[in-house]
Amino acid sequence: MPEQPTDTPTVNAQNQRRAMSDSHPPGGMAPTQGGGQMAPGAPGIEPRWTTSAKQGVGTARSPLGPVWFTISHGILNEVYAPRVDQACIRDLGLVVTDASGYASEEKRHTRSEIVTLGSGVPGYRIVNTALDGRYRIEKEIIADPERMVVLQQTRFVPLVGTLSDYRLYAVLAPHLGNQGRGNTAWLGYVKSVPMLFAENERNALALACSTPWLDRSAEYVGPDDSWHELMTHGRLTRTYDKAEDGNVSLTGQIDLEASGGAFVLALGFCDAAFGAGHHAISSLLAGFESARDRYIADWLLWQATLLPLDEPDEPTHNLYRVSAAVVQSHEDKQFPGGIIASLSIPWGNTKGDQNLGGYHLVWTRDLVEAA
């Protein structure tokens, strides 16, 4: 993908029935890469990362969820797993279109407001309102405390027209193992649930949704990818099942009417695609609320162990608690005390695989400052 600045649903019976009715490998158990239509345009354009101007960073306190996420321009961008120094995606955002050719990208075409889920809790509530006043996207983003999964609860609210007037697409740019090149993306199933998959050597991800995908595609990033299709035509005019060994992207159309506009995206990681898909499904079945409640409780428990250095009259939010959580969010879960300089890539939109450099490494200067 080129540089582009209520009630919680669960995996429902309708989604399962839809998955079972689609064409997929017998039993729907394996996220197979065999067969299907290969995308043209290999290996894609030269990959780039994204901005270091983060609105938020976060991770669960539990060691069971070794995944770290970042936010800017109102969307998820670099996610790190299973180590704090290993970026796995470039970004994950939404594109809104309609039948008349309207196209609006959440990252570029909205005004973003973001607040934390609690004092010193690095979980976020984001409201992105379209600059043209046509829609609003409300999101909560956390990491699952029990699994290697980032969860995004989303509600799409039409401000002009109704849900049936709009199409909504999730567009994901995998950069597994700190690499924009060498990724393979494909469409598949785990336990009959349709997903979007990617892998690069022993790193894999799976994107699942609590409501049905109406359409899916895997392609190489370039002038004919899905993002360009959506911005030009307002829909996917062609779809592909696989894009192998390149700079790839994944796109899924979300069924707004079936979900009533409310759904959860689960982005799972593992060393194999089936494991990543299994984590994503498990998170959806366990429910967003239970993951959010534990996420908040664990961070508040950690905050209670800190010295009470709070300013008596904070005008907006507690800078001491926020700052402590940001520093703590940069620590590895396997090696306590291993704190990287930043969950970002400086000037990332100009950086490719060969010149990541700097920030998501342990540097003596920054480690001393963090300590």
Side-chain angles (χ1 to χ4, degrees):
M1 191 165 80
E3 174 66 21
Q4 309 135 21
T6 73
D7 291 334
T8 303
T10 59
V11 179
N12 52 42
Q14 182 178 3
N15 194 7
Q16 297 284 354
R17 289 193 298 271
R18 185 185 188 90
M20 291 297 289
S21 66
D22 289 339
S23 173
H24 60 279
M29 296 296 291
T32 179
Q33 294 186 43
Q37 187 173 5
M38 185 72 69
I45 64 174
E46 188 68 22
R48 292 291 182 264
W49 293 89
T50 189
T51 178
S52 281
K54 307 298 184 185
Q55 292 172 295
V57 300
T59 186
R61 287 289 304 141
S62 167
L64 298 176
V67 59
W68 296 257
F69 65 88
T70 69
I71 298 168
S72 66
H73 296 90
I75 70 167
L76 273 170
N77 44 38
E78 287 112 354
V79 173
Y80 297 76
R83 303 192 316 265
V84 72
D85 65 337
Q86 184 164 291
C88 290
I89 73 166
R90 183 188 185 279
D91 53 20
L92 169 60
L94 300 174
V95 174
V96 182
T97 73
D98 71 8
S100 69
Y102 173 79
S104 176
E105 187 184 11
E106 180 185 23
K107 179 178 178 178
R108 288 183 182 272
H109 303 134
T110 68
R111 180 181 68 257
S112 180
E113 301 173 57
I114 181 169
V115 297
T116 60
L117 297 180
S119 181
V121 177
Y124 303 93
R125 182 174 295 110
I126 304 171
V127 177
N128 294 329
T129 304
L131 296 176
D132 60 13
R134 292 193 55 172
Y135 65 86
R136 183 173 67 245
I137 296 171
E138 303 166 355
K139 303 191 289 191
E140 290 187 358
I141 299 176
I142 60 167
D144 189 330
E146 297 185 1
R147 302 166 189 88
M148 209 184 311
V149 178
V150 176
L151 291 169
Q152 176 177 296
Q153 179 174 255
T154 308
R155 182 179 296 276
F156 179 82
V157 181
L159 302 178
V160 176
T162 65
L163 280 178
S164 61
D165 296 324
Y166 293 92
R167 305 179 183 125
L168 187 65
Y169 298 85
V171 182
L172 170 64
H175 279 209
L176 287 157
N178 281 328
Q179 298 289 316
R181 290 285 187 188
N183 288 260
T184 293
W186 74 98
L187 312 181
Y189 298 79
V190 171
K191 298 184 178 178
S192 300
V193 177
M195 296 190 190
L196 310 175
F197 292 97
E199 69 176 9
N200 188 345
E201 296 180 350
R202 290 190 59 79
N203 301 286
L205 64 78
L207 179 63
C209 186
S210 61
T211 200
W213 298 112
L214 291 178
D215 212 352
R216 297 178 291 161
S217 187
E219 63 273 319
Y220 297 99
V221 176
D224 296 321
D225 63 19
S226 289
W227 182 83
H228 284 91
E229 282 279 285
L230 295 176
M231 301 308 293
T232 303
H233 304 291
R235 62 186 179 90
L236 297 179
T237 61
R238 54 186 181 270
T239 59
Y240 303 98
D241 300 307
K242 186 177 181 182
E244 191 171 50
D245 192 20
N247 180 14
V248 301
S249 68
L250 288 157
T251 303
Q253 183 182 359
I254 295 153
D255 192 334
L256 284 175
E257 291 194 77
S259 65
F263 56 92
V264 176
L265 292 174
L267 182 60
F269 299 90
C270 195
D271 59 359
F274 183 85
H278 178 74
H279 290 325
I281 292 174
S282 297
S283 281
L284 290 176
L285 290 174
F288 183 86
E289 272 99 350
S290 80
R292 179 184 57 198
D293 291 348
R294 181 176 170 189
Y295 186 92
I296 294 171
D298 287 351
W299 271 103
L300 292 178
L301 188 63
W302 178 80
Q303 288 281 358
T305 68
L306 302 183
L307 295 173
L309 302 179
D310 312 68
E311 291 289 338
D313 297 309
E314 286 285 356
T316 54
H317 56 265
N318 191 319
L319 292 177
Y320 168 55
R321 299 292 171 179
V322 170
S323 299
V326 167
V327 174
Q328 181 62 33
S329 293
H330 285 75
E331 183 179 40
D332 191 73
K333 298 182 190 298
Q334 186 176 357
F335 301 101
I339 298 176
I340 63 168
S342 174
L343 285 161
S344 69
I345 296 161
W347 302 281
N349 58 324
T350 67
K351 299 295 180 68
D353 292 351
Q354 305 309 314
N355 56 356
L356 286 174
Y359 283 14
H360 58 285
L361 297 171
V362 177
W363 285 91
T364 303
R365 173 197 64 189
D366 300 278
L367 186 59
V368 169
E369 292 293 338

